[in-house]
């Protein structure tokens, strides 16, 4: 696509044509699947990246753009896909990873909202679905999953930025992703969801202060997060904080990470990318490259650990 670039914030229309072009020009590594439509009828397309195999391979699922205004997030998913196909065959770890596993990437989860931030309101966060009985639009998709739904850190007011929705999975986008992960839960070994901003690497739980299942699991998750943060910091010195969501950022029920973890996806992480507030959601395009390069190191660290523990 003419206008697409990896160091710019692309429009949805450029991303949509990029999906077609990168998958058709790397057909031996990438296959696409439309997992459903958004509220406004746009195709939610995942790219499954990995060496083609007749047998099913274990997978890592990564989504970007669940929150519309967090533009650095979809930029990272696009960067990741390009990095994967560009370094397969030359980078030993990426080659090994894609030979043994698949990485399933959803570049933009909340397409309707992403478009709305380009056309109407740069600070929009939620979906664009109409709520009954009010003119307030949208639900926070990261409060709409079936994980302590609407108990803490979420609002039942449709006008709130953290509206949990009229019911669990009320949002078609959330339903589509939850159905896909449920359908593939036997092969999905890790779930990574990319947000901004704050420079945090979070893991369950956010819906309770309780520590995840058994301490050993928590310790390994925590140490994976600490290792991934250290890997990230090694490139440009960018400092991340890692820890359970509830105590590291705030209580927040209905999140995709907690839901995936309770479904049995042991390694479940939420990234809050750059920065810590100077630009916030309006991170300059000049920081896309360094942000994506350092985040690659963290994601590859997590992937390597998951692969080693298959
Ligand atoms: N599952 C909640 C993880 C911690 C909160 C993440 C942030 C990203 Se903007 C949020 O959804 O408020
Ligand atoms: Zn977010
Ligand atoms: Zn955030
Ligand atoms: Zn630790």
């Amino acid at each position: 696509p003419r206008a697409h670039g990896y160091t710019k914030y692309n429009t949805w229309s450029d991303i949509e044509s990029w999906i077609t072009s990168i998958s058709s020009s790397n057909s031996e590594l990438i296959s696409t699947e439309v997992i459903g439509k958004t509220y406004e009828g746009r195709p939610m397309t995942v790219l499954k990246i990995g060496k083609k195999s007749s047998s099913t391979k274990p997978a890592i699922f990564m989504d970007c753009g669940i929150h519309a205004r967090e533009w650095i997030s979809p930029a990272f998913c696009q960067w990741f896909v390009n990095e994967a196909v560009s370094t397969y065959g030359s980078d030993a770890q990426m080659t090994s990873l894609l030979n043994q596993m698949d990485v399933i990437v959803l570049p933009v989860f909340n397409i309707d909202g992403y478009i709305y931030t380009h056309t109407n309101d740069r600070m929009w966060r939620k979906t664009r679905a109409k709520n009954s009985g009010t003119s307030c639009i949208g639900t926070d998709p990261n409060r709409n999953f079936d994980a302590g739904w609407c108990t803490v850190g979420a609002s039942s007011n449709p006008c709130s930025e953290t509206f949990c929705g009229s019911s669990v999975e009320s949002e078609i986008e959330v339903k589509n992703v939850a159905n896909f992960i449920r359908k593939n839960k036997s092969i999905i070994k890790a779930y990574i969801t990319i947000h901004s901003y704050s420079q945090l690497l979070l893991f369950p739980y956010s819906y309770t202060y309780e520590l995840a299942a058994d301490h050993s699991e928590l310790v390994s998750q925590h140490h994976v997060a600490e290792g991934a943060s250290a890997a990230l910091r090694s490139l440009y010195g960018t400092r991340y904080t890692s820890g359970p969501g509830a105590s590291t950022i705030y209580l927040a029920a209905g999140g995709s990470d907690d839901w995936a973890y309770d479904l049995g996806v042991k390694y479940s992480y939420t990234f809050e990318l750059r920065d810590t507030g100077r630009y916030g959601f309006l991170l300059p395009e000049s920081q896309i490259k360094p942000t994506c390069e350092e985040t690659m190191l963290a994601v590859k660290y997590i992937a390597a650990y998951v692969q080693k523990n298959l």
Side-chain angles (χ1 to χ4, degrees):
R2 203 172 32 79
H4 183 277
Y6 292 106
T7 58
K8 62 183 284 253
Y9 295 120
N10 296 296
T11 63
W12 166 247
S13 98
D14 283 336
I15 296 171
E16 193 173 22
S17 39
W18 166 81
I19 290 170
T20 305
S21 68
I22 196 161
S23 48
S24 52
S25 51
N26 295 277
S27 54
E28 77 294 346
L29 278 175
I30 302 179
S31 62
T32 61
E33 181 185 341
V34 176
I35 66 169
K37 292 277 174 74
T38 66
Y39 176 80
E40 292 175 344
R42 298 183 176 93
M44 294 174 70
T45 310
V46 295
L47 296 94
K48 189 175 84 163
I49 311 159
K51 185 172 165 241
K52 293 273 188 293
S53 157
S54 49
S55 58
T56 39
K57 295 155 70 185
I60 294 170
F61 185 94
M62 179 164 71
D63 64 47
C64 289
I66 194 168
H67 287 139
R69 63 191 177 193
E70 299 164 12
W71 284 9
I72 187 61
S73 169
F76 175 69
C77 268
Q78 293 165 74
W79 188 281
F80 179 90
V81 174
N82 184 54
E83 192 70 16
V85 299
S86 308
T87 64
Y88 179 82
S90 58
D91 178 286
Q93 193 217 332
M94 185 61 81
T95 306
S96 159
L97 176 69
L98 298 181
N99 283 342
Q100 192 174 15
M101 301 187 79
D102 289 324
V103 183
I104 303 168
V105 179
L106 177 61
V108 187
F109 186 121
N110 179 6
I111 305 168
D112 300 348
Y114 186 71
I115 291 170
Y116 195 72
T117 59
H118 279 82
T119 56
N120 296 66
D121 176 358
R122 177 68 184 79
M123 293 304 280
W124 191 258
R125 170 183 168 98
K126 304 192 287 180
T127 64
R128 290 294 305 159
K130 181 164 176 19
N131 291 312
S132 58
T134 172
S135 58
C136 292
I137 296 281
T139 287
D140 182 345
N142 211 29
R143 301 295 184 277
N144 193 236
F145 283 83
D146 193 5
W149 182 74
C150 225
T151 51
V152 289
S155 169
S156 50
N157 178 349
C159 300
S160 164
E161 286 284 45
T162 57
F163 178 45
C164 58
S166 53
S167 63
V168 160
E169 296 177 19
S170 59
E171 302 312 290
I172 186 64
E173 296 87 354
V174 170
K175 178 72 83 181
N176 291 337
V177 171
N179 283 340
F180 180 85
I181 294 175
R182 272 189 287 262
K183 192 176 71 178
N184 293 286
K185 73 177 200 172
S186 60
I187 63 163
I188 294 174
K189 304 301 175 189
Y191 173 73
I192 298 172
T193 183
I194 310 289
H195 291 254
S196 78
Y197 62 91
S198 293
Q199 292 174 201
L200 301 172
L201 183 42
L202 307 167
F203 50 87
Y205 287 107
S206 295
Y207 72 66
T208 173
Y209 285 113
E210 285 304 305
L211 300 183
D214 54 294
H215 180 72
S216 63
E217 196 169 273
L218 176 85
V219 169
S220 67
Q221 273 183 358
H222 195 155
H223 288 287
V224 171
E226 285 162 344
S229 302
L232 187 151
R233 182 171 156 187
S234 71
L235 192 57
Y236 300 115
T238 307
R239 293 171 180 278
Y240 268 59
T241 303
S242 55
S247 54
T248 311
I249 185 168
Y250 35 61
L251 280 170
S256 60
D257 54 355
D258 287 357
W259 173 78
Y261 180 81
D262 281 343
L263 187 72
V265 181
K266 185 173 173 182
Y267 298 97
S268 179
Y269 294 97
T270 295
F271 277 80
E272 286 267 47
L273 301 186
R274 289 192 191 183
D275 63 12
T276 56
R278 174 149 184 237
Y279 296 103
F281 304 116
L282 310 182
L283 192 71
E285 290 188 330
S286 58
Q287 291 198 42
I288 294 175
K289 184 171 181 297
T291 301
C292 291
E293 284 178 329
E294 68 191 12
T295 308
M296 277 306 298
L297 300 179
V299 170
K300 286 175 78 172
Y301 184 96
I302 293 168
Y305 186 91
V306 171
Q307 190 184 353
K308 220 174 27 263
N309 288 272
L310 281 176

